[in-house]
Amino acid sequence: MPSGCYGEAAAFVLPPLPAMPHPPATDVTQVLLPFGGLVGREVDLDAFLQTLMDRIAITMQADRGTLWLLDPARRELFSRAAHLPEVKQIRVKLGQGVAGTVAEVGQAINVPDPRGERRFFADIDRMTGYSTNSLLAVPLRDADGALYGVLQVLNRRGGDTFTPEDTERLTAIASQVSTALQSTSLYQELQRAKDQPQAPVGYFFNRIIGESPQLQAIYRLVRKAAPTDATVLLRGESGSGKELFARAVHVNGPRRDKPFVKVDCAALPATLIENELFGHERGAFTGADHRMPGKFEAADSGTVFIDEIGELPLPVQGKLLRVLQDREFERVGGTQAVKVDVRIVAATHRDLTRMVAEGRFREDLYYRIKVVEVVLPPLRERGAEDIERLARHFVATVAKRHRLQPPKLSAAALERLKRYRWPGNVRELENCIESAVVLCEGEILEEHLPLPNLERVSAPVAPEPEARAEPAPTGATEAGLLPLAEVERRHILRVLDAVKGNRTAAARVLEIGRNTLARKLKEYGLGDEV
């Protein structure tokens, strides 16, 4: 199985469980109890699963353990987490070897001595150089009773064989392992693969699908930054997944159990952003009849995610700088400093370096927020394989959301998806797939994809927001020339038409903020027209 369908190789290892004596056979809850807080985090699902197998091997007094999962496309089991230092992965057919037989018949198998055992697959020992002396394997079933994997342990320590009591114990452990796995995105991917067997089985990194080299580099950065309190700046085009990565930083850090509070500066009028962030005192303005805490107070001990920080007005930038430096601020209309303990993760699609040069963003704030800078690639640069993985994932999740049978994705439609440039990135792809799933009849064809024909034209160049329209010279209109404001107006309308009225996608193509686009539309009397 390829590494990572939203994931990749381990760089950050979850804290190992403390050593403990082997629990009695009835005390199975002690095996998985410490994992409850790790399941949802998934900073590195490989590390989580490997730690899980370490604990199971200790509990079962076994030398090695393997978690096998079912690949429905190939009708094979693949080793997803295992004590296999000799090889990266092993695959066996259903019915092949002890694990394959367990998956086929759905019953536990205890092999005290593999010599002469027809169900034992000796090629694995020959491949690894390991010598199997005893073996125990039990099925993994989901809440509906469907088998989706096998849990296996090898060589009971002390030269003993696995007993019937060991079989009961491992079966009970498998039940709890299955419960834990069903709350991870790995299980969701296995379910997707069952409905769409033509696509490879993969796995997720904090519900972010992709294994392109660019994303793998970003996963490594997140692993390093998450356990710290360092301020993180996420840069990338709209729809590229900045909020997902912000949440990944939070849930895999020391503040994971505290609030994660989002402030979208692009969705707020400039006059309200300060109040939203810092709150206000009673009497601060007309209608302020009581004290109102802001997002920073709401997120105390947790994380504040400031989305589209490039839209932050200069006066508010100064107050944010004070929070970063001194961890304190004053509410609107207040004089008393309020202390807060928060981590800040910021995101923007803007070129902040250019904004600093133009005096529209404070240089000192810029260097304060880019302690760790993560640049997300646009979908078009992540490659056709990531587009296919995302498309198939969205087909399954959208169909489930609308209570529909997941349709097939035709080869022509898939090819069209791969060729498209995706100016709206992953968000646009999800919306495209949702429309196709709802409107198709059993199979998504190319004509079901609501894609604008932007591929044949170059991306429009945005006019400078500060540009001022000069009066047209006499006779200019008659000569076919237009004032700059009219050129800008028509250009904005063309872009909106090309993206079917999607203002977020239009703002991205124009390289301006969504609020700026809304203001321009209002200036041209187009606020209600599009």
Side-chain angles (χ1 to χ4, degrees), residues 440-491:
C440 76
E441 297 181 359
E443 183 176 19
I444 297 176
L445 306 176
E446 189 172 359
E447 54 263 33
H448 295 131
L449 303 174
L451 296 178
N453 200 12
L454 289 178
E455 296 170 290
R456 297 172 185 168
V457 296
S458 58
V461 179
E464 289 297 322
E466 296 78 15
R468 295 289 184 268
E470 297 294 334
T474 304
T477 303
E478 289 80 356
L481 302 177
L482 296 170
L484 179 58
E486 180 62 19
V487 172
E488 182 181 82
R489 173 184 172 278
R490 295 188 181 190
H491 179 59

Side-chain angles (χ1 to χ4, degrees), residues 122-144:
D123 284 359
I124 296 179
D125 274 8
R126 285 191 284 269
M127 182 191 312
T128 62
Y130 185 76
S131 179
T132 301
N133 301 317
S134 58
L135 185 154
L136 174 61
V138 299
L140 278 176
R141 298 183 183 277
D142 63 18
D144 296 325

Side-chain angles (χ1 to χ4, degrees), residues 228-232 250 254-255 258-261 277-278 294-306 320 322-329 338-345:
T228 73
D229 266 338
T231 303
V232 177
H250 171 73
R255 302 172 184 267
K258 302 299 181 180
F260 176 85
V261 178
L277 285 171
F278 305 108
K295 298 297 188 183
F296 277 108
E297 287 178 86
D300 193 29
S301 301
T303 302
V304 174
F305 172 45
I306 305 177
L320 177 58
R322 182 182 175 189
V323 174
L324 286 166
Q325 290 176 332
D326 305 323
R327 290 300 189 265
E328 67 178 27
F329 62 90
V338 179
K339 291 281 187 179
V340 288
D341 173 24
V342 295
R343 181 181 194 172
I344 293 177
V345 179

